[in-house]
Amino acid sequence: AQSVTQLDSQVPVFEEAPVELRCNYSSSVSVYLFWYVQYPNQGLQLLLKYLSGSTLVKGINGFEAEFNKSQTSFHLRKPSVHISDTAEYFCAVSGPQGGSEKLVFGKGTKLTVNP
Amino acid sequence: DAGVIQSPRHEVTEMGQEVTLRCKPISGHNSLFWYRQTMMRGLELLIYFNNNVPIDDSGMPEDRFSAKMPNASFSTLKIQPSEPRDSAVYFCASSPRTGLGEKLFFGSGTQLSVL
């Protein structure tokens, strides 16, 4: 069974600083990886996804993530954050045995951007 | 499109009462998912439907929980009787289909408090 570990439950940063939100997955087979974002009082929205091809994936709002198979990681990065990036970020994984119906989410990382 | 619509946004009820949560998926989406979000367990899939048919309800915690999808534009999640430990945010999500890499579209959730 697949699992996802988000190593930091909370990440506080200052505006315009770079940020990295860490995600590690556990799977013995090929996986598909996702980052979703949840703004306050809203549902989750897809930020980006990795299915195959280039290991560097670019998403919306200036975020990007890099798939590292040897380290089983899919860390999310942004070079300069804004106040509006304050939200909770969820890493998720699915595998070749299933698609969206087999999506497993991490517990989330709360990003707080301070002025 | 208005997106996935859930009602009510907030529900406060007393232990033992019946609770019904409602969801209208995006028109044309064939897959519908019910998730529960808690601090302790994160985001958990309760049940999902394909073409109005329940496919996997293994995530439904107990017989007190039931879900229906009478047509392509409406689904309900019912808890009877409710208990304080059911307090959580319940999300409905839809997607065009279940498949590798499919994006989920989430509603804004129903915040349920059982006193």
Side-chain angles (χ1 to χ4, degrees):
Chain A
Q2 291 138 352
S3 65
V4 176
T5 302
Q6 292 185 242
L7 298 163
D8 305 297
S9 59
Q10 297 189 49
V11 173
V13 294
F14 287 108
E15 194 173 17
E16 297 184 8
V19 71
E20 178 180 84
L21 307 183
R22 296 180 292 170
C23 172
N24 286 88
Y25 65 92
S26 171
S27 175
S28 59
V29 296
S30 298
V31 295
Y32 305 95
L33 294 154
F34 308 77
W35 276 99
Y36 279 81
V37 59
Q38 183 181 23
Y39 297 105
N41 300 313
Q42 294 185 28
L44 282 71
Q45 305 171 37
L46 182 67
L47 260 184
L48 50 81
K49 62 183 178 182
Y50 171 79
L51 303 182
S52 64
S54 172
T55 57
L56 184 63
V57 180
K58 293 189 183 298
I60 61 173
N61 300 338
F63 283 92
E64 63 181 31
E66 186 158 19
F67 171 60
N68 187 318
K69 188 175 181 179
S70 62
Q71 297 187 4
T72 60
S73 68
F74 191 55
H75 300 334
L76 181 70
R77 302 186 183 100
K78 186 170 182 177
S80 175
V81 293
H82 302 287
I83 299 285
S84 59
D85 293 322
T86 294
E88 190 155 18
Y89 293 79
F90 293 88
C91 184
V93 62
S94 67
Q97 301 306 317
S100 46
E101 76 280 13
K102 297 292 185 184
L103 204 56
V104 175
F105 286 89
K107 290 197 171 180
T109 298
K110 285 189 178 176
L111 174 65
T112 303
V113 181
N114 298 301
Chain B
D1 199 314
V4 177
I5 299 173
Q6 290 186 247
S7 64
R9 287 297 305 272
H10 303 275
E11 176 80 34
V12 181
T13 190
E14 293 188 346
M15 182 174 63
Q17 296 297 306
E18 177 179 296
V19 175
T20 300
L21 311 181
R22 297 172 176 80
C23 175
K24 176 178 167 54
I26 292 173
S27 176
H29 282 193
N30 293 324
S31 301
L32 183 139
F33 307 79
W34 281 101
Y35 282 88
R36 179 173 66 175
Q37 184 181 39
T38 61
M39 290 287 290
M40 290 296 294
R41 300 173 69 90
L43 203 61
E44 304 172 279
L45 177 65
L46 300 177
I47 185 172
Y48 78 94
F49 296 82
N50 264 353
N51 297 316
N52 313 338
V53 176
I55 303 299
D56 184 356
D57 66 353
S58 59
M60 297 284 260
E62 300 171 34
D63 291 344
R64 299 184 295 107
F65 285 70
S66 62
K68 294 182 180 179
M69 192 165 185
N71 56 62
S73 59
F74 184 66
S75 177
T76 59
L77 178 67
K78 184 179 293 186
I79 308 172
Q80 166 62 17
S82 57
E83 296 183 4
R85 60 195 168 117
D86 301 330
S87 297
V89 180
Y90 291 82
F91 287 104
C92 176
S94 70
S95 69
R97 66 197 66 80
T98 53
L100 300 177
E102 278 296 334
K103 172 182 175 182
L104 296 181
F105 295 77
F106 283 80
S108 297
T110 295
Q111 173 80 59
L112 174 64
S113 298
V114 183
L115 307 177

